[in-house]
């Protein structure tokens, strides 16, 4: 059995600005001060599990990704333009199908998530691979720790023949708080973390049934990928519609009983903002993390603060839960409590401040 | 009549750190963004009133003071070591006595206070001079706007023959809040802002009665001041005891009926901290002041903030009354509410952070 990890790396968002920004998305950043960027930590986690790893990203960040992961050309798929997760993952799956055959298993893992319990992650991936060998499309679902309304949810169905793997009865859109609370209380729902594991043939044949033109185009590009005609084949990319794998494959295939899920508790986070980030710092009690060069941080009556220093010391007095980010070209000051509203603030910033560097 | 302004310039304190610090006290800084440092604004206020102006300061800041005010050597008295306000003001008074005679009137005005109503200041000084011509030591007292426990208070006595000038029955130490409230409600008390106006002979003869050795030493130094023996005469300075003019002259002389006061409302502040400073900024509604190079400040849900930018834009979200000071070598974050406790925090800072530059 061959298992190839696909790592989609894209999207900056605004909720972790100015650490994460268009020119410098969070997967390129050591968010927790652990010494590895998020995409490096993702590759580290997969190194012992996967026979190969392919990152799919945009032209803007291809060089930085290759540099951080020391990737060769075969391990980097550069999208000519963003078209959503379905074309990105589908193209890499088609390339893997060409290189390793239809029985090779691919698994997609976002470049910018945090997972603190790597043993639980390993175990979940191994179970997902076992289920994928039975021609299921498998998603790893996160056992919810709160009624978060920022995620889609997975409704578990009956157990499958594989230990620790359930069928998926339905994928649910992001719920309102009342619905999310009901989901969590029932014990039947998992967070959809966008991790899909399947044989290339199973994935692409499903795609061929639901979106035949897209499957045909992606397989055509893949056939030319490792030869001299890649660029001309990539001409097809321009005509692709935006689409996401959840809508195109996961939802309709689940309705047919073709999707399974592995429930897992592994300290997962998509780091949706500074509050979530603060829960994953190395020193949660002091809440201090150094993002820039080493500098002093002095906290007085400012417990549970998150501070990224750059080239000057920072003294905070009387602001509990302060969030302070000095990136050298701009300083952000907010609090954990207020940071949930940061996205709107950043979107409204003048361009010369929002898009520094 | 000759009137010479004395401007004592000393003392950094900790409550406006890091704007004000030992190497860079607040009188050398444009605290309000008005385009003039505090000592420049002090000199500006006195220019139309005084025939001459003499600054008395320590060696550390003499060059900066001379530069900011474009002073010649005759207008700058450099203390070999700090000995409190009595030796500082007394020496300059003795120098003025030598240069202009015993009927010349001196007035001392701290270098680091703010006064927003200069017309009221002018009027108060003119009244004080009129009373000083009748051989009184005159202090300008500030009509209190709150029961502030950070000031000493002046207890007014009967009216004098000079319009708008009362006798002083007693100088009161810094009171507790209950006492201060009683003072303010009675209408009989004024804040002691440390402004003293008197003939040089009256001041020094009073000193000669209360501290004969000090008066004798200061007059001896003054006699040599403008000649070749200044440095050797300054040898006397080392033996002087620390003393303040309020204790040595004002209090005992008031008990004899020799002190008068001019009550005045003139938007005075000794800028005891960031809360006081915020009330004197050019834009009190936005509360924004630029201390460094011009940079953007973005406030979102952060009304009434005080922000000093340096070389990078600052974005504040969800911290009402934020106090943010970037001096280029350190960043302070606090709030107006919390800033009253800043002095203790700064005193406890490691030396390499507290005494930057």
């Amino acid at each position: 059995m061959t298992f190839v990890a696909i790592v989609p790396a894209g999207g900056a968002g605004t909720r972790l600005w100015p650490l994460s920004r268009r020119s410098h998305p969070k997967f390129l950043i050591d968010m927790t001060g652990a010494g590895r960027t998020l995409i490096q930590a993702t590759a580290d986690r997969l190194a012992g599990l996967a026979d190969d790893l392919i990152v799919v990203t945009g032209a803007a960040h291809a060089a930085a990704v290759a540099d951080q992961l020391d990737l060769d050309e075969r391990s980097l798929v550069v999208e000519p333009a963003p078209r959503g997760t379905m074309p990105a993952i589908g193209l890499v799956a088609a390339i893997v199908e060409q290189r390793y055959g239809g029985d090779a298993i691919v698994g997609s893992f976002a470049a910018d998530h945090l997972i603190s319990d790597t043993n639980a992650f390993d175990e979940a991936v191994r179970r997902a691979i076992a289920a994928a060998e039975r021609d299921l499309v498998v998603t790893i679902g996160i056992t919810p720790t709160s009624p978060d309304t920022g995620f889609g949810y997975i409704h578990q169905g009956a157990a499958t023949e594989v230990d620790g793997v359930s069928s998926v009865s339905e994928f649910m859109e992001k719920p309102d708080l009342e619905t999310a609370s009901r989901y969590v209380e029932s014990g039947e729902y998992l967070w959809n973390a966008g991790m899909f594991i399947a044989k290339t043939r199973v994935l692409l044949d499903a795609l061929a049934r639901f979106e035949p033109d897209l499957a045909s185009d992606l397989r055509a590009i893949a056939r030319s990928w490792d030869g001299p005609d890649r660029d001309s084949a990539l001409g097809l990319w321009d005509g692709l519609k935006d689409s996401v794998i959840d809508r195109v494959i996961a939802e309709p295939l689940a309705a047919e009983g073709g999707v399974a899920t592995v429930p897992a508790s592994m300290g997962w986070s998509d780091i949706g903002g500074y509050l979530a980030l603060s829960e994953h710092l190395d020193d949660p009690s002091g809440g201090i993390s150094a993002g820039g060069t080493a500098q002093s941080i002095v906290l007085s009556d400012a417990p549970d603060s998150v501070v990224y220093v750059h080239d000057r010391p920072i003294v905070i007095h009387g602001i509990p839960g302060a969030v302070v980010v000095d990136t050298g070209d701009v300083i952000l000051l907010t609090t954990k409590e207020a940071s949930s509203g940061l996205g709107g603030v950043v979107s409204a910033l003048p361009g010369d401040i929002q898009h520094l560097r």
Side-chain angles (χ1 to χ4, degrees), chain A residues 114 269-281:
Chain A
L114 276 174
S269 174
D270 71 343
I271 329 177
Y274 284 106
L275 184 58
L277 174 60
S278 70
E279 291 161 4
H280 288 267
L281 297 177

Side-chain angles (χ1 to χ4, degrees), chain A residues 177-224:
Chain A
L177 186 60
E178 193 187 340
T179 307
S181 300
R182 191 159 45 76
Y183 287 173
V184 174
E185 279 162 26
S186 75
E188 297 175 6
Y189 291 81
L190 304 167
W191 288 341
N192 180 3
M195 293 184 249
F196 290 101
I197 294 95
K199 286 184 182 169
T200 57
R201 183 193 308 113
V202 170
L203 197 73
L204 293 162
D205 286 357
L207 181 61
R209 288 197 292 123
F210 300 128
E211 286 280 353
D213 290 350
L214 179 57
S216 159
D217 286 349
L218 293 177
R219 277 172 157 157
I221 296 171
R223 275 193 298 275
S224 299

